mmCIF file with all atom_site columns, all heavy atoms in Angstrom:
data_model
loop_
_atom_site.group_PDB
_atom_site.id
_atom_site.type_symbol
_atom_site.label_atom_id
_atom_site.label_alt_id
_atom_site.label_comp_id
_atom_site.label_asym_id
_atom_site.label_entity_id
_atom_site.label_seq_id
_atom_site.pdbx_PDB_ins_code
_atom_site.Cartn_x
_atom_site.Cartn_y
_atom_site.Cartn_z
_atom_site.occupancy
_atom_site.B_iso_or_equiv
_atom_site.pdbx_formal_charge
_atom_site.auth_seq_id
_atom_site.auth_comp_id
_atom_site.auth_asym_id
_atom_site.auth_atom_id
_atom_site.pdbx_PDB_model_num
ATOM 1  N N   . LEU A 1 51 ? -38.013 -18.768 32.857 1.00 93.00 ? 70 LEU A N   1
ATOM 2  C CA  . LEU A 1 51 ? -38.934 -17.656 33.116 1.00 93.00 ? 70 LEU A CA  1
ATOM 3  C C   . LEU A 1 51 ? -38.199 -16.321 32.998 1.00 93.00 ? 70 LEU A C   1
ATOM 4  O O   . LEU A 1 51 ? -38.695 -15.374 32.382 1.00 93.00 ? 70 LEU A O   1
ATOM 5  C CB  . LEU A 1 51 ? -39.550 -17.815 34.517 1.00 93.00 ? 70 LEU A CB  1
ATOM 6  C CG  . LEU A 1 51 ? -40.519 -16.714 34.934 1.00 93.00 ? 70 LEU A CG  1
ATOM 7  C CD1 . LEU A 1 51 ? -41.702 -16.632 33.986 1.00 93.00 ? 70 LEU A CD1 1
ATOM 8  C CD2 . LEU A 1 51 ? -41.005 -16.938 36.373 1.00 93.00 ? 70 LEU A CD2 1
ATOM 9  N N   . MET A 1 52 ? -37.023 -16.313 33.577 1.00 92.00 ? 71 MET A N   1
ATOM 10 C CA  . MET A 1 52 ? -36.226 -15.094 33.529 1.00 92.00 ? 71 MET A CA  1
ATOM 11 C C   . MET A 1 52 ? -35.890 -14.701 32.074 1.00 92.00 ? 71 MET A C   1
ATOM 12 O O   . MET A 1 52 ? -35.989 -13.541 31.696 1.00 92.00 ? 71 MET A O   1
ATOM 13 C CB  . MET A 1 52 ? -34.943 -15.355 34.323 1.00 92.00 ? 71 MET A CB  1
ATOM 14 C CG  . MET A 1 52 ? -33.767 -14.566 33.866 1.00 92.00 ? 71 MET A CG  1
ATOM 15 S SD  . MET A 1 52 ? -33.318 -13.332 35.065 1.00 92.00 ? 71 MET A SD  1
ATOM 16 C CE  . MET A 1 52 ? -31.875 -12.673 34.271 1.00 92.00 ? 71 MET A CE  1
ATOM 17 N N   . HIS A 1 53 ? -35.521 -15.692 31.263 1.00 93.00 ? 72 HIS A N   1
ATOM 18 C CA  . HIS A 1 53 ? -35.216 -15.400 29.857 1.00 93.00 ? 72 HIS A CA  1
ATOM 19 C C   . HIS A 1 53 ? -36.435 -14.861 29.135 1.00 93.00 ? 72 HIS A C   1
ATOM 20 O O   . HIS A 1 53 ? -36.330 -13.959 28.298 1.00 93.00 ? 72 HIS A O   1
ATOM 21 C CB  . HIS A 1 53 ? -34.698 -16.653 29.158 1.00 93.00 ? 72 HIS A CB  1
ATOM 22 C CG  . HIS A 1 53 ? -33.375 -17.112 29.678 1.00 93.00 ? 72 HIS A CG  1
ATOM 23 N ND1 . HIS A 1 53 ? -33.057 -18.433 29.845 1.00 93.00 ? 72 HIS A ND1 1
ATOM 24 C CD2 . HIS A 1 53 ? -32.294 -16.415 30.106 1.00 93.00 ? 72 HIS A CD2 1
ATOM 25 C CE1 . HIS A 1 53 ? -31.836 -18.539 30.330 1.00 93.00 ? 72 HIS A CE1 1
ATOM 26 N NE2 . HIS A 1 53 ? -31.350 -17.324 30.495 1.00 93.00 ? 72 HIS A NE2 1
ATOM 27 N N   . LEU A 1 54 ? -37.593 -15.414 29.458 1.00 94.00 ? 73 LEU A N   1
ATOM 28 C CA  . LEU A 1 54 ? -38.811 -14.939 28.808 1.00 94.00 ? 73 LEU A CA  1
ATOM 29 C C   . LEU A 1 54 ? -39.150 -13.522 29.258 1.00 94.00 ? 73 LEU A C   1
ATOM 30 O O   . LEU A 1 54 ? -39.473 -12.658 28.440 1.00 94.00 ? 73 LEU A O   1
ATOM 31 C CB  . LEU A 1 54 ? -39.977 -15.886 29.116 1.00 94.00 ? 73 LEU A CB  1
ATOM 32 C CG  . LEU A 1 54 ? -39.924 -17.233 28.396 1.00 94.00 ? 73 LEU A CG  1
ATOM 33 C CD1 . LEU A 1 54 ? -40.981 -18.171 28.943 1.00 94.00 ? 73 LEU A CD1 1
ATOM 34 C CD2 . LEU A 1 54 ? -40.122 -17.034 26.901 1.00 94.00 ? 73 LEU A CD2 1
ATOM 35 N N   . LEU A 1 55 ? -39.050 -13.287 30.571 1.00 94.00 ? 74 LEU A N   1
ATOM 36 C CA  . LEU A 1 55 ? -39.386 -11.955 31.079 1.00 94.00 ? 74 LEU A CA  1
ATOM 37 C C   . LEU A 1 55 ? -38.441 -10.907 30.487 1.00 94.00 ? 74 LEU A C   1
ATOM 38 O O   . LEU A 1 55 ? -38.818 -9.747  30.320 1.00 94.00 ? 74 LEU A O   1
ATOM 39 C CB  . LEU A 1 55 ? -39.288 -11.924 32.613 1.00 94.00 ? 74 LEU A CB  1
ATOM 40 C CG  . LEU A 1 55 ? -40.295 -12.819 33.366 1.00 94.00 ? 74 LEU A CG  1
ATOM 41 C CD1 . LEU A 1 55 ? -40.098 -12.676 34.872 1.00 94.00 ? 74 LEU A CD1 1
ATOM 42 C CD2 . LEU A 1 55 ? -41.723 -12.479 32.982 1.00 94.00 ? 74 LEU A CD2 1
ATOM 43 N N   . GLY A 1 56 ? -37.229 -11.325 30.183 1.00 94.00 ? 75 GLY A N   1
ATOM 44 C CA  . GLY A 1 56 ? -36.251 -10.388 29.641 1.00 94.00 ? 75 GLY A CA  1
ATOM 45 C C   . GLY A 1 56 ? -36.290 -10.279 28.129 1.00 94.00 ? 75 GLY A C   1
ATOM 46 O O   . GLY A 1 56 ? -35.488 -9.553  27.554 1.00 94.00 ? 75 GLY A O   1
ATOM 47 N N   . GLY A 1 57 ? -37.179 -11.018 27.494 1.00 94.00 ? 76 GLY A N   1
ATOM 48 C CA  . GLY A 1 57 ? -37.262 -10.922 26.039 1.00 94.00 ? 76 GLY A CA  1
ATOM 49 C C   . GLY A 1 57 ? -36.088 -11.578 25.331 1.00 94.00 ? 76 GLY A C   1
ATOM 50 O O   . GLY A 1 57 ? -35.825 -11.286 24.164 1.00 94.00 ? 76 GLY A O   1
ATOM 51 N N   . ILE A 1 68 ? -44.283 -7.330  27.125 1.00 94.00 ? 87 ILE A N   1
ATOM 52 C CA  . ILE A 1 68 ? -43.197 -6.617  27.800 1.00 94.00 ? 87 ILE A CA  1
ATOM 53 C C   . ILE A 1 68 ? -43.236 -5.169  27.327 1.00 94.00 ? 87 ILE A C   1
ATOM 54 O O   . ILE A 1 68 ? -43.218 -4.911  26.110 1.00 94.00 ? 87 ILE A O   1
ATOM 55 C CB  . ILE A 1 68 ? -41.822 -7.236  27.462 1.00 94.00 ? 87 ILE A CB  1
ATOM 56 C CG1 . ILE A 1 68 ? -41.778 -8.703  27.905 1.00 94.00 ? 87 ILE A CG1 1
ATOM 57 C CG2 . ILE A 1 68 ? -40.702 -6.442  28.107 1.00 94.00 ? 87 ILE A CG2 1
ATOM 58 C CD1 . ILE A 1 68 ? -40.519 -9.432  27.475 1.00 94.00 ? 87 ILE A CD1 1
#
Side-chain angles (χ1 to χ4, degrees):
Chain A
L70 179 60
M71 151 110 177
H72 294 141
L73 287 170
L74 295 181
I87 300 174

